[in-house]
Amino acid sequence: MLFRSSLLMRCALVCAAAVPFALLTGCANMITNALAGASFEFGAMTGKVHGGNQPISGATVKLYAAGTTGYGKGSTLLASTTTSTDGSGSFAFTQVATQPGSLGSSYACPSSKSLIYLVSSGGDPLNNNGSNNNTAAVMMAALGQCGSSAGLFVNINEVSTVASVTALAQYINPGTSTPASATIGTNGDYTLASPPQAGTGLINAFATVPNLENLATGLSNTTFTPTTGGGAAGVTVTGTPESTKINTMANILASCVNNANASAANCTTLFANAIPPTAAVTSQPTATFST
């Protein structure tokens, strides 16, 4: 699936969404256990934004809660901040009990089980002083349940983008997402009636992401041992994600991300080759999408 876009919407997130079908035969179809229940632990969520190995300064990082009113609907923007210009690409959010009246770096969970994700857009991947702004440098990281987000360290980069979009592609609305967001929603199968919560499908999609990559390091997993629910005692299953595919796709995105602006040749070539699928095979068969 592809995100509808204008020139400014030609971003790395679009590219990752253009090719998840190549990865679906590997990792994205793995059955995972639903995330365990979370309790609130107020505190800071921290992380860094990288293009390849290069920190990105001055990027806008937004924290969203996935919607529960339908496929690709209702994402809620919880908080927004920017990465530091000290050459580290660092950012931080603080979890509080009540959602602040004005949008800033503090956030309150809609519920402990709300599924949340980060989207980073723009910034300077070269000089790390904010003098450049590559609007094509848009990346994401799907985190999981909001109630356990305090204390997390997250590395947002091309690997996290490929892993997140691969796992969540069927829940991302390609018609309403923008360069600075990914509109993610679940189906009507809610786990709780009041307030409504994500259905099992979306829960498992979020749970697939840490099978594919390490959220803290931003590196793809070569192996992982899934949590067994009710399995035979003493039985261990080791999965082998297709890390080579993930890294190859991440490197393709990095060739665009690590430029001063979106007009760089590596970006224009990349987007010229990201051809939207025909509407008939998308979740919105009556719509058409530009690159």
Side-chain angles (χ1 to χ4, degrees):
M1 290 189 288
L2 292 175
F3 299 107
R4 181 187 60 188
S5 61
S6 63
L7 178 60
L8 292 180
M9 295 180 73
R10 295 178 177 181
C11 58
L13 184 56
V14 178
C15 296
V19 290
F21 307 103
L23 297 171
L24 286 177
T25 56
C27 308
N29 284 340
M30 294 183 296
I31 302 301
T32 61
N33 293 321
L35 299 176
S39 59
F40 290 110
E41 296 179 3
F42 300 122
M45 176 206 306
T46 59
K48 294 184 178 182
V49 178
H50 282 89
N53 292 321
Q54 299 171 204
I56 299 179
S57 66
T60 298
V61 182
K62 294 184 177 181
L63 175 66
Y64 291 89
T68 57
T69 60
Y71 285 114
K73 295 181 179 179
S75 292
T76 301
L77 178 59
L78 300 178
S80 179
T81 189
T82 57
T83 58
S84 63
T85 56
D86 60 2
S88 67
S90 300
F91 66 90
F93 292 102
T94 301
Q95 187 182 139
V96 295
T98 304
Q99 185 68 24
S102 58
L103 186 66
S105 60
S106 295
Y107 70 99
C109 295
S111 80
S112 65
K113 293 185 179 180
S114 295
L115 297 171
I116 59 174
Y117 58 99
L118 295 166
V119 178
S120 169
S121 60
D124 185 353
L126 298 181
N127 297 326
N128 291 308
N129 58 13
S131 60
N132 300 305
N133 183 30
N134 184 357
T135 56
V138 180
M139 298 176 287
M140 72 177 295
L143 307 182
Q145 292 183 345
C146 190
S148 56
S149 59
L152 282 180
F153 181 88
V154 183
N155 203 316
I156 306 174
N157 60 14
E158 295 86 355
V159 169
S160 71
T161 302
V162 174
S164 298
V165 176
T166 298
L168 296 168
Q170 63 183 319
Y171 298 101
I172 297 175
N173 190 330
T176 60
S177 297
T178 71
S181 74
T183 306
I184 298 172
T186 186
N187 58 18
D189 179 21
Y190 305 135
T191 57
L192 291 177
S194 181
Q197 300 293 331
T200 302
L202 185 59
I203 291 172
N204 282 345
F206 268 83
T208 300
V209 176
N211 293 345
L212 303 179
E213 65 123 355
N214 185 308
L215 287 168
T217 64
L219 299 176
S220 61
N221 292 334
T222 55
T223 62
F224 78 96
T225 303
T227 301
T228 57
V235 176
T236 300
V237 177
T238 299
T240 307
E242 295 187 81
S243 58
T244 300
K245 282 187 178 181
I246 295 173
N247 291 338
T248 298
M249 193 61 59
N251 287 336
I252 292 172
L253 297 183
S255 70
C256 171
V257 170
N258 289 326
N259 287 280
N261 54 62
S263 61
N266 284 350
C267 291
T268 56
T269 299
L270 179 59
F271 292 115
N273 286 280
I275 307 300
T278 59
V281 300
T282 71
S283 61
Q284 301 179 54
T286 61
T288 57
F289 308 104
S290 58
T291 300

